[in-house]
Amino acid sequence: MRNIALKLMYVGTAYHGWQIQKNAVTVEETLEKAIASVVGHPVKCTGAGRTDAGVHAENYIANFRTTSTIPCDRLPLAVNTRLPEDIVVVKATEVHDGFNAIGSCIKKEYTYRIYNSRIRNAFFVNRAWFYPKHLDETVMQRAADQFVGTHDFRAVRSVGTETRTTVRTVHYFQVSRAGELIECRVCADGFLYNMVRAMTGTIVYAAEGKLSPEDIPAILASGNRTLAGPTVPPGGLYMTKLWYEENVL
């Protein structure tokens, strides 16, 4: 039995997230059906993370096991012919039996994109959050800096999947602007449900003057979700980078 890691990218607009659901179309289900039709038997994919409905991935890793002998260099082309245009397999790599796309992931980066202009841009619909009021990215960066380090992030997660601990380590939270597009890049050893979207909402609140960047440590310490900013829309969120010891990217 071979263990195959797939590198893929997808636009999440048409899907109810990565993970299979009973009554909704998901990326995982769509991918598994395509792979099964190529390898000739049912497969179960393990994904790098549970991206939510409408969230995108520029880089994503999933692994599955197969008895098929199809060479790895042929798998992406074969699977892509059976996938819709908004999901693309970029690379296939045979990995050791213990490799697991989520368990073997050392850290992840998500990027949240805000289109900050008085006039919306049709090409960013469902790809960036249109925000017409000017945002000061320097204030956003001051606020973002407060999240860096090891903290309990209960105050910036939505109620959802239960986890053993809500403590995570954020390695960096970088805010940059290129014209009217603001990018918020967050790297951590793991993320709670809606954590990036709530962190982004909090630094936007700071830019609006609804809270001070220096308030954020106390908000985190409180664990109170209502003290932080809102959970921003999913269309601006992308999984952008993953780190593994194996060369799967």
Side-chain angles (χ1 to χ4, degrees), residues 31-201:
L31 180 64
E32 286 178 355
K33 287 179 177 177
I35 296 169
S37 69
V38 170
V39 300
H41 63 81
V43 300
K44 174 64 179 173
C45 288
T46 298
R50 289 182 59 181
T51 57
D52 297 329
V55 174
H56 319 293
E58 291 180 356
N59 284 293
Y60 194 92
I61 296 292
N63 71 291
F64 69 97
R65 286 172 167 77
T66 181
T67 55
S68 169
T69 58
I70 298 173
C72 283
D73 61 348
R74 288 175 54 193
L75 268 172
L77 290 172
V79 175
N80 284 339
T81 61
R82 293 160 172 83
L83 283 171
E85 291 181 335
D86 50 9
I87 304 174
V88 178
V89 176
V90 178
K91 180 183 175 183
T93 307
E94 188 162 353
V95 289
H96 64 82
D97 190 59
F99 178 88
N100 176 292
I102 190 165
S104 302
C105 188
I106 300 165
K107 55 185 179 178
K108 305 170 187 174
E109 179 196 82
Y110 280 94
T111 299
Y112 195 88
R113 296 183 174 127
I114 303 169
Y115 188 70
N116 188 208
S117 171
R118 291 180 63 199
I119 305 295
R120 68 180 182 271
N121 186 322
F123 291 98
F124 282 115
V125 174
N126 295 321
R127 302 290 191 280
W129 180 31
F130 169 56
Y131 196 90
K133 184 179 177 182
H134 180 74
L135 294 170
D136 185 338
E137 66 274 17
T138 60
V139 176
M140 293 172 71
Q141 183 64 69
R142 276 177 48 216
D145 289 341
Q146 309 299 318
F147 287 105
V148 177
T150 302
H151 308 284
D152 187 328
F153 284 95
R154 281 180 301 162
V156 283
R157 73 152 181 176
S158 298
V159 176
T161 307
E162 286 304 311
T163 58
R164 185 175 54 83
T165 176
T166 50
V167 174
R168 297 289 185 273
T169 298
V170 170
H171 299 291
Y172 58 78
F173 191 174
Q174 299 167 347
V175 180
S176 62
R177 177 188 283 272
E180 292 158 319
L181 190 67
I182 295 173
E183 289 196 333
C184 308
R185 293 185 177 270
V186 189
C187 174
D189 59 355
F191 291 92
L192 303 170
Y193 183 47
N194 283 344
M195 177 173 155
V196 177
R197 289 162 60 192
M199 289 167 66
T200 302

